[in-house]
Amino acid sequence: MVNSKINSQLDRLRERWSDPLLTMLTVLLILMLFVFAPLQAVGIQLFQVLGFGSALGLIAGIFLLSGSPTVVVALLAAFAMAGAAAVSRLNAPSVLDVYLFAGALLIMGVAMAGVVARTVFAAGRVTHHRIIGAILVYLSIAVTFTALFTMIGLLVPNAFSGMLFEDNPALASNVVYFSFVTLTSTGYGDIFPVHPVARSLCNLETIIGQLYPATLLARLVSLEIEGRR
């Protein structure tokens, strides 16, 4: 009885806040990627705390947005990994902390992309929140590949030229930068993959980055037409 009441309350909250949550999560992720990570890289410790806090906020938002028990369990695992990495980093920083953060980021990126895409591309009226949510899916793809690049860089020494994978404040900013350069096909050339697996991941991210805008536009146009009918 208690569980049914809790579930019904969560469903009402989800129905009311699903669209605004898309915008709030997008703003939070933009702050984490483009404000907190760069300022953390220059050595301002406050932004390390803010970056961790924003990651927890994203996990909580996805938790509320999703009604899937599988996603909830995955997010709880990501929360535990991120918390363990933060505590370990305060005591004795090591490569294990980077693995834990990368694992938490991977789970969060995949869950966020899946949950938000289901909300954005579902049948219904196209709102500005859903358009912003589509941007969130795009950013989530970059987050997912950021985690994958970090794991490859840790497992395979010298998998990337121009970037060192060690536990330091600048690592997150560097990998995020490389992921977006790859996703958008910018290719500055200061960092590039050397190992075959790293190259394959870069190719995959580039293809997704090229196909996603066209797919998004086609889907939003079809949803708008269906909504008007």
Side-chain angles (χ1 to χ4, degrees):
M1 188 70 178
V2 176
N3 288 336
S4 62
K5 288 183 178 180
I6 294 175
N7 289 332
S8 63
Q9 290 176 354
L10 286 174
D11 289 337
R12 285 196 296 268
L13 283 173
R14 194 175 298 117
E15 182 179 354
R16 179 179 179 182
W17 291 100
S18 61
D19 278 4
L21 260 178
L22 296 175
T23 299
M24 288 186 282
L25 289 174
T26 303
V27 172
L28 193 57
L29 184 58
I30 287 173
L31 288 174
M32 186 179 78
L33 295 176
F34 303 122
V35 179
F36 300 154
L39 292 175
Q40 174 184 330
V42 299
I44 305 177
Q45 293 186 350
L46 171 63
F47 290 98
Q48 296 186 28
V49 178
L50 291 176
F52 177 70
S54 61
L56 296 185
L58 287 167
I59 290 173
I62 303 166
F63 178 88
L64 181 59
L65 195 61
S66 170
S68 170
T70 303
V71 174
V72 171
V73 171
L75 291 174
L76 289 176
F79 176 82
M81 293 168 68
V87 172
S88 177
R89 177 170 288 178
L90 290 175
N91 296 326
S94 67
V95 178
L96 177 61
D97 306 337
V98 184
Y99 274 113
L100 288 172
F101 271 123
L105 201 63
L106 178 62
I107 294 172
M108 186 182 73
V110 172
M112 185 159 50
V115 170
V116 174
R118 186 182 64 181
T119 304
V120 168
F121 298 118
R125 189 168 59 92
V126 177
T127 65
H128 68 281
H129 289 300
R130 294 179 73 170
I131 294 174
I132 293 174
I135 298 172
L136 179 57
V137 176
Y138 190 73
L139 297 177
S140 301
I141 295 169
V143 168
T144 302
F145 278 93
T146 295
L148 292 173
F149 290 146
T150 302
M151 291 180 177
I152 292 298
L154 292 171
L155 291 171
V156 183
N158 302 318
F160 297 88
S161 177
M163 182 164 51
L164 294 176
F165 289 84
E166 54 188 17
D167 190 8
N168 63 67
L171 177 60
S173 179
N174 290 337
V175 186
V176 167
Y177 160 77
F178 175 71
S179 182
F180 276 102
V181 166
T182 305
L183 183 65
T184 57
S185 302
T186 306
Y188 290 116
D190 51 344
I191 303 173
F192 56 90
V194 178
H195 193 272
V197 175
R199 289 178 175 176
S200 179
L201 282 176
C202 288
N203 288 336
L204 180 59
E205 185 177 20
T206 302
I207 292 171
I208 293 174
Q210 295 298 306
L211 293 179
Y212 178 79
T215 305
L216 168 65
L217 181 61
R219 180 58 178 165
L220 290 181
V221 168
S222 65
L223 286 174
E224 182 65 20
I225 293 173
E226 289 175 4
R228 291 183 179 183
R229 287 176 180 173

